[in-house]
């Protein structure tokens, strides 16, 4: 009887550790995605400001508004390249 209780306790701890590992893994994935979006946003914003600063010398400007901030923030460097391309084409 005493051995069965110890085995149940060990199994309960093992099950709890497995659940804790799964929960940690599930929570880690959104954190990675969030950090990537934050990094893209910061990099896109800095690049957008740099394009506007350098474009001032050649008469090129991308307006900073909600739409351009979202494109540059979500896509990062490719988003800023897309904005420059669209500004030149349109």
């Amino acid at each position: 009887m005493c051995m069965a209780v110890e085995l149940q306790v060990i199994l309960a701890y093992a099950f709890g550790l497995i659940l804790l590992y799964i929960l940690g893994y599930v929570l880690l994935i959104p954190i990675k995605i969030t950090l990537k979006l934050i990094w893209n946003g910061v990099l896109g914003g800095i690049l957008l400001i740099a394009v506007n600063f350098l474009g001032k010398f050649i008469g090129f400007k991308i307006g900073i508004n909600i739409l351009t901030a979202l494109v540059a923030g979500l896509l990062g460097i490719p988003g800023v390249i897309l904005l420059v391309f669209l500004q030149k084409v349109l």
Side-chain angles (χ1 to χ4, degrees):
M1 182 87 165
C2 186
M3 185 65 166
V5 172
E6 290 177 5
L7 184 61
Q8 288 176 351
V9 170
I10 291 172
L11 289 176
Y13 276 118
F15 183 70
L17 285 174
I18 290 171
L19 282 179
L20 188 62
Y21 175 78
I22 291 171
L23 180 68
Y25 185 76
V26 167
L27 290 176
L28 187 63
I29 293 171
I31 291 173
K32 286 182 181 179
I33 293 171
T34 304
L35 289 177
K36 183 175 167 80
L37 284 175
I38 290 172
W39 174 250
N40 277 347
V42 168
L43 196 60
I46 290 171
L47 194 59
L48 193 59
I49 292 171
V51 165
N52 278 337
F53 178 74
L54 295 174
K56 179 173 37 174
F57 299 113
I58 59 172
F60 180 77
K61 182 179 179 187
I62 297 175
I64 298 177
N65 54 34
I66 293 175
L67 183 63
T68 58
L70 281 174
V71 170
L74 289 175
L75 298 176
I77 294 172
V80 174
I81 293 171
L82 176 69
L83 290 170
V84 169
F85 176 74
L86 288 175
Q87 184 72 21
K88 280 296 200 186
V89 170
L90 299 178

